[in-house]
Amino acid sequence: MNTIKVTVKDRLAIITLNRGKSNALNREMITELNDMILNIDADASIGGAMITGTGHFFSAGLDLIELYNYDEAETRSFWTLFFQFTANLCKFKKPLVAAINGHSPAGGCVIGIACDARIMAEGKYIIGLNEVPVGIIVPHSIFKLYAFWLGEADASRSLLEGKLFNPEEALKIGLVDEVVNHDSILTAAERRVRKYMAFEANTWQQSKLNIRQELINTISADQTDTLNNMLAQWWSPATRSILKTIIDNLQKK
């Protein structure tokens, strides 16, 4: 695997996002993550999993530089893959905890909110869904996933503003469950996931799936119409202009 590292420690799989400084999500990375999540879910020798990043980035979200240069077929294929990956994360039956070691906007936040709990490092980091300012239409499935943790009112307000939260704000609104010192992030996340793993496995897993049943149904539904609308906006001159400005700024850094 080129973009993630995986270790197993006493029945706990630790997935580390490992693609450059910011762990931007491209097709290769999402494919590797998706395959790994499916493998871990099917592996009886593994009882739970953690996802974390490196340095000061959990994940900066989708790799807009790469996506911007995809043709129409590649773009549709990518978004279809991303929707499927998000659905598989939500359907993952075993305990899954995000150790959010740094910045986690957009796609990074999506990975986090698909988990059962989020432990975030304290500091000058951001987390949240900022699709609207980027020119990307928010799908109903992502709204429902955000609302699963924030409630519909706060999710609606936050999405329409494209609001990004610091760790303390994220804790207050329920977007993360715990804020700890950066050096303690893996220890705190492991403590949380092993608490879940200590319960009788089938009871915990079936309860999780029951609790998430409506969310899973929504996020696994046919999203062809939603995707068509998103792609029409993606190729619009307005969104291309926004993306070009963002990419130009990223490439100056």
Side-chain angles (χ1 to χ4, degrees):
M1 292 174 291
N2 296 320
T3 66
I4 61 175
K5 293 181 179 179
V6 182
T7 58
V8 178
K9 173 186 174 185
D10 298 330
R11 300 187 67 244
L12 173 64
I14 302 169
I15 303 169
T16 303
L17 309 179
N18 186 43
R19 182 174 179 257
K21 176 184 176 182
S22 66
N23 288 321
L25 301 163
N26 68 345
R27 183 193 308 277
E28 181 182 30
M29 192 175 196
I30 293 174
T31 299
E32 291 187 350
L33 279 168
N34 191 51
D35 290 346
M36 183 54 59
I37 284 294
L38 293 174
N39 289 339
I40 292 171
D41 212 21
D43 188 339
S45 70
I46 297 177
M50 283 168 42
I51 302 179
T52 192
T54 52
H56 295 285
F57 280 88
F58 180 73
S59 171
L62 303 184
D63 186 342
L64 295 178
I65 296 173
E66 183 170 317
L67 265 66
Y68 185 82
N69 292 307
Y70 285 171
D71 62 26
E72 291 193 24
E74 290 170 331
T75 303
R76 179 175 291 275
S77 173
F78 175 85
W79 282 106
T80 300
L81 172 66
F82 183 74
F83 283 161
Q84 186 59 61
F85 167 57
T86 305
N88 288 335
L89 273 179
C90 288
K91 292 186 288 187
F92 184 83
K93 62 181 179 290
K94 298 175 181 179
L96 180 62
V97 171
I100 301 175
N101 56 293
H103 298 297
S104 187
C109 181
V110 171
I111 292 175
I113 57 178
C115 296
D116 300 304
R118 287 147 299 286
I119 314 300
M120 189 170 185
E122 62 188 10
K124 296 181 179 179
Y125 301 125
I126 55 170
I127 184 171
L129 297 179
N130 59 330
E131 280 78 357
V132 168
V134 178
I136 298 173
I137 294 174
V138 177
H140 177 66
S141 58
I142 297 300
F143 166 65
K144 296 303 288 186
L145 178 55
Y146 216 26
F148 188 77
W149 301 108
L150 271 62
E152 294 199 349
D154 281 335
S156 178
R157 293 187 192 100
S158 300
L159 284 166
L160 292 178
E161 293 178 15
K163 184 170 176 56
L164 295 171
F165 302 90
N166 65 39
E168 289 71 26
E169 291 170 334
L171 180 64
K172 185 176 180 180
I173 203 172
L175 180 51
V176 302
D177 301 274
E178 192 176 347
V179 174
V180 301
N181 181 277
H182 191 277
D183 293 338
S184 304
I185 189 76
L186 293 179
T187 301
E190 182 174 345
R191 185 186 306 119
R192 178 69 61 114
V193 73
R194 289 199 184 279
K195 180 178 181 181
Y196 297 150
M197 289 169 63
F199 291 107
E200 197 282 319
N202 188 63
T203 301
W204 193 94
Q205 292 172 15
Q206 291 303 313
S207 296
K208 171 180 175 174
L209 295 178
N210 287 345
I211 290 165
R212 291 184 172 220
Q213 183 174 345
E214 290 183 14
L215 174 62
I216 290 170
N217 290 343
T218 298
I219 213 157
S220 302
D222 184 349
Q223 300 197 56
T224 302
D225 289 342
T226 295
L227 183 55
N228 287 340
N229 289 333
M230 288 179 64
L231 292 179
Q233 184 62 37
W234 177 265
W235 291 109
S236 72
T239 292
R240 300 303 284 180
S241 177
I242 293 170
L243 291 171
K244 184 67 166 60
T245 299
I246 293 171
I247 290 167
D248 287 346
N249 289 333
L250 287 172
Q251 291 177 330
K252 290 176 184 176
K253 294 181 180 180

